[in-house]
Amino acid sequence: DTLRRTYARRVRAMDEALREHLGDIARWNRPKGGYFFWLEFDEAVDTTALRPRADALRTGYQPGENSSSAGGLKNCLRLSFAHYGEDQIRDGIVRLSRLFDEIR
């Protein structure tokens, strides 16, 4: 029960931060299970190419291409909420949103 409540708070924190900072350029569904959010951007966005800039901003994600057997999903990314506290999640999403300032 404690773990479920903890994860529920983290999911809520990530969903709220995503809505506030990336809601205008990304699409996602709030997960009902698992440990990840899956975000989709316009086709022109290449999350693999953006990864070094994310690292420089001290935020991370898994590019969608890593989840594709055919090298697709370049406009998607996967975010984990399982290993981070609510404040860390919010701060990470703020830093992540800076990657996309130029495409807004």
Side-chain angles (χ1 to χ4, degrees):
D1 285 339
T2 300
L3 196 53
R4 284 186 193 156
R5 285 192 301 271
T6 298
Y7 284 158
R9 286 191 304 270
R10 292 175 182 178
V11 166
R12 187 172 42 254
M14 185 169 279
D15 188 50
E16 289 171 357
L18 287 169
R19 288 178 191 278
E20 181 178 350
H21 298 286
L22 292 171
D24 59 332
I25 60 169
R27 297 170 295 283
W28 67 91
N29 291 316
R30 189 172 173 164
K32 295 179 182 169
Y35 304 105
F36 305 100
F37 275 73
W38 182 260
L39 279 66
E40 182 179 352
F41 297 88
D42 290 336
E43 290 292 327
V45 174
D46 183 343
T47 62
T48 301
L50 290 173
R51 183 62 199 267
R53 288 180 51 210
D55 291 342
L57 291 168
R58 296 178 335 172
T59 191
Y61 59 83
Q62 287 299 313
E65 184 175 33
N66 292 357
S67 297
S68 172
S69 63
L73 304 174
K74 289 185 179 196
N75 64 315
C76 300
L77 62 82
R78 188 176 79 167
L79 294 172
S80 173
F81 59 83
H83 300 290
Y84 306 97
E86 295 165 62
D87 290 338
Q88 290 173 303
I89 288 169
R90 288 183 193 98
D91 291 343
I93 297 300
V94 167
R95 289 192 307 271
L96 181 66
S97 73
R98 293 180 189 144
L99 282 177
F100 301 99
D101 285 343
E102 66 192 43
I103 65 170
R104 286 193 163 96

